[in-house]
Amino acid sequence: MSGTLDGQGGAPASAVTQRDVNSNDFRAAFQAAPLGMALVGRDGRVRIANDALGALLDTEPARLAGCPVDGFTGLREDPRTWQTCQEVLLGHRERLGCTRRLRRPGGRVVWAEVILSALPDSCDVLLSVADITERRDLRARLRHLRMHDAVTRLPNRSLFFERLAAALTAAAMNRRGSGRIGLCYLDLDGFKAVNDTLGHQAGDRLLSAVARRLTECAAPGGHLVARLGGDEFALLVEESTGTEQLVRLATAVQAALQRPFEVAGQRLSVSASIGVVERPAAGTHATELMQAADTTLYWAKADGKARWALFDPERNAHRITRQALSSTLRPAVERGEFTLQYQPLVGLGDGVVRGVEALVRWRHPRFGTLAPNRFIGLAEETGAIVPLGRWVLRTACHQARRWQLARPARPLVVSVNVAVRQVWDSDLVADVAAILAETGLPPRLLQLELTESAVMGSSGRPLQQLRALSDMGVAIAIDDFGTGYSNLAYLSRLPVSTLKLDGSFMHGFRAGEDPNPADETIVEALVQLAHRLGLTVTAECVESAEQAERLGRIGCDTGQGWFYSRPVPADRISALVGGAP
């Protein structure tokens, strides 16, 4: 009769059947599952294991019964993992998942994903162990391909930075080691020529050969060698013992690379420029270290290539300052951060001030007042010399006009330096004409100074501009004469009116030093030559009355230097010559 009790007070027959079916299904699924599984009691011991787990561990499943779960899973090896495991066994946490390396009989290692899950309404937990060895090996192979250079088989940039970051952390934390780190960053000199002449295949073979030699150099110390891209390589020295170790390594690398290479039937010789950095790991960031190495490599290149250069904090600070100045030059002109000082040009025969040279200064808000040698070269490199030179010219002409109006009987000539880039990159003739018209200064009261190297050999547009300026009535002077080309044949072709002798000629005229007769002979010859060509001569760097007297005696026309006055503001010049500014 349906719904009646089976036996004495037992459960309904249909319920018993369903429970038995569920239990049988579970046991069948548990045993047939391809995933290694086991039921684990709250005491941490295996109650029952399936065939897949036995096969994974290379043992009979029955032999696992009663074994502590940490005995074959390695869960106790990591204190944090073991703590989590105990929390799951005690019912305080629902799940634990981790990756463990399991050792099978015979020493074979299996990587497994171990999961421990609490079962609802049960005192047991379910252990599942999945063999992920093949998946892990595949990931490792893919990572190796991703982290290594295809041409040289060396670690690539990604792996290098990963190892560098790890090395910095380890060195900073390891109190027993040196706590220092070193880096040799190298670039092959002229490698592009190999690609261009022999082809990229030959270039790749050369890179592989270079990589092998670098590896040989690094092998005794176990240093990491990486190809960072193109023809750039890096050697990382962990726990370095000091600068000397890095220098020895860089020297060995250069010696190894200087031996000829046999590539594609060609005997090739290459060299390398190497930047060397060595410092404490604490407080050093990977990006900062690479920037220092890159800067030092640039120094090695700039110093002539085929050499190593050691990082110098002072030189680097100077480079950073140069960059800061270079980036702010143009805005500084617009902000009015520049000012002019003037140095008198004095007649050596009568001591009368004939004119002044305008000298620019930069009142930098951070670095203070800077002399021209700190920024004029940068201005020429960046092109900022054009607006700066135009400002200097306009300001000097305005001041010269004020002096002319104050003392019309004896006006001062103002001499302004002009960079060669102003001649090439701007219409200097138009600029000068416009400024003279704006200020009202007569052209005869303006002299433009160009360096000897800029003037000598001038042809085409520069020569046309010089002649146009001369035709306008502006005087042209050659500055620092005697230190450049000194091609006297050009003097007859150029519209030059004055030679300014370089201050190096004044060494032989100094009191208290052994006079050099050659200096006086050379200066006297130059003065005579200039006078025969209708030119006047100005001597720079006159520092004493004796120098002035001797220069005047050999016929030099004017002198300039600290004997007369240092560069001073315009009002000091006005007081010196008399009259309002």
Side-chain angles (χ1 to χ4, degrees):
M1 182 175 175
S2 177
T4 61
L5 295 177
D6 182 17
Q8 298 178 358
S14 58
V16 173
T17 301
Q18 186 65 44
R19 212 165 32 239
D20 291 342
V21 169
N22 290 342
S23 177
N24 291 337
D25 288 347
F26 170 77
R27 289 180 178 273
F30 179 80
Q31 292 296 342
L35 177 66
M37 293 189 296
L39 287 178
V40 180
R42 296 295 183 183
D43 59 358
R45 295 182 177 272
V46 175
R47 293 184 58 223
I48 184 173
N50 69 355
D51 294 341
L53 183 60
L56 177 63
L57 300 177
D58 198 18
T59 187
E60 293 294 329
R63 299 185 63 180
L64 295 173
C67 292
V69 67
D70 60 292
F72 58 86
T73 58
L75 292 176
R76 195 187 285 267
E77 294 175 2
D78 177 22
R80 182 176 297 179
T81 301
W82 177 237
Q83 176 65 32
T84 305
C85 173
Q86 290 179 309
E87 292 177 1
V88 174
L89 292 174
L90 295 174
H92 300 157
R93 185 187 290 262
E94 293 185 356
R95 188 176 184 275
L96 162 68
C98 61
T99 300
R100 281 290 176 269
R101 187 173 61 173
L102 311 182
R103 291 193 176 275
R104 299 178 59 177
R108 180 171 176 262
V109 174
V110 175
W111 283 95
E113 184 179 49
V114 179
I115 298 176
L116 203 62
S117 303
L119 295 175
D121 302 325
S122 173
C123 292
D124 296 332
V125 296
L126 178 64
L127 170 70
S128 62
V129 183
D131 186 351
I132 61 170
T133 304
E134 290 187 5
R135 187 198 319 167
R136 187 182 179 89
D137 289 346
L138 176 60
R139 275 205 308 264
R141 289 195 296 272
L142 292 175
R143 171 179 165 79
H144 186 275
L145 291 174
R146 190 175 72 254
M147 293 295 196
H148 286 74
D149 175 52
V151 174
T152 64
R153 308 294 187 226
L154 292 177
N156 61 15
R157 176 178 288 269
S158 297
L159 182 53
F160 172 79
F161 273 98
E162 183 179 292
R163 286 283 301 275
L164 174 59
L168 285 169
T169 301
M173 296 178 62
N174 184 8
R175 296 184 179 180
R176 295 184 178 180
S178 68
R180 303 184 70 86
I181 194 162
L183 179 64
C184 288
Y185 183 31
L186 66 96
D187 176 276
L188 300 182
D189 301 321
F191 176 74
K192 183 176 183 297
V194 176
N195 277 338
D196 292 343
T197 57
L198 300 180
H200 287 274
Q201 188 174 16
D204 288 348
R205 291 179 183 175
L206 177 59
L207 290 174
S208 296
V210 168
R212 287 192 292 271
R213 292 194 187 177
L214 294 179
T215 302
E216 291 172 1
C217 293
H223 309 311
L224 174 71
V225 182
R227 182 190 178 197
L228 303 187
D231 58 342
E232 297 177 0
F233 296 85
L235 289 82
L236 178 63
V237 178
E238 301 181 37
E239 294 293 344
S240 65
T241 58
T243 300
E244 295 80 4
Q245 181 187 16
L246 271 296
V247 169
R248 287 195 301 269
L249 179 59
T251 303
V253 165
Q254 286 192 320
L257 296 184
Q258 285 173 357
R259 302 196 308 269
F261 292 86
E262 295 288 341
V263 175
Q266 300 280 343
R267 191 174 176 84
L268 302 178
S269 296
V270 299
S271 63
S273 299
I274 307 176
V276 179
V277 183
E278 200 279 340
R279 60 179 55 177
T284 297
H285 191 273
T287 302
E288 175 192 353
L289 187 68
M290 288 305 299
Q291 286 175 343
D294 185 64
T295 297
T296 311
L297 173 60
Y298 170 79
W299 294 345
K301 291 273 189 188
D303 291 343
K305 302 182 179 180
R307 67 192 64 214
W308 55 264
L310 186 64
F311 183 77
D312 180 358
E314 290 186 7
R315 185 174 179 180
N316 187 56
H318 178 68
R319 177 189 65 87
I320 293 174
T321 301
R322 278 178 55 88
Q323 290 177 342
L325 295 178
S326 178
S327 63
T328 56
L329 260 169
R330 286 181 182 270
V333 177
E334 300 172 1
R335 291 193 297 264
E337 293 180 4
F338 292 92
T339 186
L340 291 186
Q341 292 185 345
Y342 302 88
Q343 190 170 35
L345 301 171
V346 181
L348 290 169
D350 55 14
V352 175
V353 178
R354 306 287 178 82
V356 293
E357 180 180 355
L359 299 168
V360 64
R361 301 289 187 267
W362 186 356
R363 296 174 298 188
H364 196 280
R366 176 181 172 189
F367 302 114
T369 300
L370 304 179
N373 62 338
R374 293 289 302 277
F375 59 86
I376 289 298
L378 292 175
E380 292 181 354
E381 291 175 14
T382 61
I385 192 66
V386 174
L388 176 58
R390 192 177 291 123
W391 177 87
V392 170
L393 183 63
R394 175 177 287 106
T395 304
C397 287
H398 272 292
Q399 181 58 56
R401 176 59 172 166
R402 286 194 286 270
W403 281 325
Q404 182 201 13
L405 294 175
R407 48 198 310 273
R410 289 190 298 173
L412 295 177
V413 173
V414 64
S415 192
V416 178
N417 290 281
V418 175
V420 65
R421 191 160 182 176
Q422 290 177 259
V423 180
W424 281 104
D425 293 1
S426 66
D427 191 340
L428 184 61
V429 176
D431 287 345
V432 170
I435 290 172
L436 291 177
E438 172 189 324
T439 61
L441 182 70
R444 61 184 175 83
L445 297 182
L446 174 63
Q447 176 175 271
L448 300 181
E449 295 186 21
L450 290 89
T451 61
E452 179 183 345
S453 58
V455 174
M456 292 303 179
S458 294
S459 61
R461 184 166 180 261
L463 181 57
Q464 293 172 3
Q465 293 208 54
L466 294 179
R467 285 176 175 165
L469 290 167
S470 180
D471 293 342
M472 191 187 301
V474 174
I476 306 295
I478 299 178
D479 196 14
D480 301 329
F481 186 79
T483 60
Y485 297 101
S486 298
N487 192 332
L488 301 178
Y490 278 104
L491 288 178
S492 62
R493 308 177 195 174
L494 294 171
V496 175
S497 59
T498 300
L499 298 184
K500 296 191 71 175
L501 300 182
D502 185 72
S504 60
F505 289 114
M506 298 302 108
H507 289 293
F509 289 82
R510 290 178 179 173
E513 298 183 8
D514 294 333
N516 185 352
D519 282 345
E520 187 165 340
T521 301
I522 292 172
V523 171
E524 185 174 6
L526 289 175
V527 170
Q528 292 177 0
L529 174 64
H531 287 172
R532 291 197 176 193
L533 293 173
L535 309 178
T536 61
V537 179
T538 298
E540 298 181 301
C541 301
V542 179
E543 298 178 353
S544 68
E546 181 184 358
Q547 285 179 321
E549 190 275 329
R550 291 172 63 186
L551 288 166
R553 190 170 62 242
I554 64 176
C556 196
D557 300 288
T558 54
Q560 176 183 357
W562 288 3
F563 172 63
Y564 301 107
S565 173
R566 293 172 180 262
V568 294
D571 58 349
R572 295 278 299 278
I573 295 293
S574 300
L576 183 66
V577 300

